[in-house]
Amino acid sequence: MTTPTPPLSTALRTLREDFGISGNEAAKRAGLSQSKVSRAERGAFAPSPEDVAELCRVYRAPATVRRELMQMAQDLKEASHSARMTLQRGGWWMQERIGKIERTAARLREFSPSIVVGLVQTPDYIRALFGDSLPPEDLERTVQARLLRQDILTSGRTIDIVMAEGALRWCMGSPDIMAGQLAHLIDISQAGHVRLGIIPFTTPATVPALHPFAIYDSRAVLVGTINATALITDAQNLRDYEDYWTEIQDLITWGDGARTHLERIRHDFLQGA
């Protein structure tokens, strides 16, 4: 496994502390507001590559570190990529881009009502998911790129993954593939690296099941639809997703309760295999 890169917020805070100045003094020297520096170090704000460059200059960071952190900030800039463009470049390209974004964050929250979240998919599930949409050479490269993203699961970051039962009932590929996928989820839930939550079919809800999304710290949201993937950093849009995440908390079953549901669903697939 590769050594996980520290989140952007952690890297900026560590550089400042190692240099031995306060956040207020760093802001003055970089020509930024103190609140911007503080929020960037807490993961509540996505600094621009230019902001990062100024802070690295103040901290006298090596050129290699400056370039790496500026690239991380660039990856967090708001952008939208169409599904057609992604497939033309190769599905692996988007997987590598998402992996870079994930590595900038200290906290990840993911929700999906319709598909197993990418960070916890098995190789067989990934192959069934992409199916004939990619040529064989791109398919295997995409599988490996998605699996490399999973290194982050043991990086010490705070990771919450929530799926509606419908995402686990959708028979991607075959009952055998799904039984293996459910077993993998059970293993992950027991390892303690990830908090895995399930929203069962029978849970009364007062909000609709939204599209899949991922929140990185409190500064960016990745949204996937049938024809595009968008990275959103607009403050109001971010609050909407933060509010939705808060709303669904009472619907989620965690821990042993979640594993009970996973075992039950896995048993149903085994019966149908």
Side-chain angles (χ1 to χ4, degrees):
M1 285 190 177
T2 57
T3 301
T5 303
L8 180 59
S9 55
T10 301
L12 290 173
R13 184 176 65 252
T14 299
L15 282 174
R16 178 181 60 76
E17 291 174 346
D18 288 348
F19 192 64
I21 60 175
S22 68
N24 189 50
E25 181 61 25
K28 287 180 181 178
R29 296 189 190 187
L32 304 173
S33 68
Q34 191 278 331
S35 64
K36 180 179 280 191
V37 172
S38 175
R39 290 168 60 217
E41 290 185 1
R42 298 197 317 270
F45 168 73
S48 69
E50 293 75 21
D51 293 338
V52 171
E54 281 302 306
L55 289 170
C56 285
R57 177 188 60 78
V58 169
Y59 305 146
R60 299 178 186 173
T64 54
V65 173
R66 175 177 56 81
R67 285 194 295 269
E68 181 179 17
L69 297 188
M70 287 180 66
Q71 184 59 56
M72 292 169 76
Q74 181 66 36
D75 289 333
L76 268 177
K77 288 185 69 173
E78 188 164 7
S80 179
H81 301 282
S82 72
R84 181 175 299 174
M85 181 183 73
T86 298
L87 293 177
Q88 286 173 346
R89 292 192 180 188
W92 53 268
W93 174 82
M94 180 57 74
Q95 295 306 309
E96 290 179 353
R97 175 166 169 75
I98 294 172
K100 290 179 181 179
I101 295 168
E102 288 166 342
R103 290 192 293 274
T104 70
R107 182 187 185 196
L108 283 76
R109 288 169 287 172
E110 296 211 34
F111 168 74
S112 177
S114 54
I115 189 173
V116 172
V117 169
L119 278 177
V120 290
Q121 291 174 0
T122 64
D124 286 342
Y125 187 99
I126 300 169
R127 291 187 182 95
L129 173 64
F130 285 101
D132 297 329
S133 65
L134 296 172
E137 62 275 13
D138 279 351
L139 175 60
E140 285 310 305
R141 188 171 178 181
T142 300
V143 170
Q144 293 308 311
R146 177 160 285 191
L147 293 175
L148 279 174
R149 287 173 48 202
Q150 298 181 10
D151 285 356
I152 203 172
L153 297 178
T154 56
S155 67
R157 287 163 170 79
T158 301
I159 301 177
D160 288 346
I161 291 176
V162 176
M163 290 172 283
E165 184 169 337
L168 307 173
R169 290 283 184 184
W170 190 269
C171 187
M172 186 62 66
S174 71
D176 279 339
I177 289 174
M178 290 306 301
Q181 177 65 70
L182 269 295
H184 181 59
L185 293 177
I186 293 167
D187 289 343
I188 287 175
S189 74
Q190 293 172 327
H193 303 308
V194 176
R195 200 163 71 120
L196 191 64
I198 307 299
I199 301 178
F201 276 149
T202 53
T203 302
T206 56
V207 293
L210 210 57
H211 48 260
F213 65 86
I215 306 175
Y216 306 107
D217 294 322
S218 293
R219 52 199 167 96
V221 174
L222 190 73
V223 178
T225 68
I226 193 170
N227 53 16
T229 299
L231 183 68
I232 300 169
T233 57
D234 173 76
Q236 181 55 61
N237 288 331
L238 273 168
R239 280 194 294 272
D240 291 341
Y241 282 96
E242 293 267 12
D243 290 345
Y244 183 84
W245 183 266
T246 299
E247 285 185 291
I248 66 173
Q249 292 309 294
D250 289 342
L251 310 179
I252 304 169
T253 299
W254 303 97
D256 290 340
R259 279 187 287 277
T260 296
H261 286 289
L262 292 170
E263 290 281 12
R264 174 173 52 83
I265 299 168
R266 179 173 180 267
H267 174 76
D268 290 346
F269 278 118
L270 289 172
Q271 292 295 102

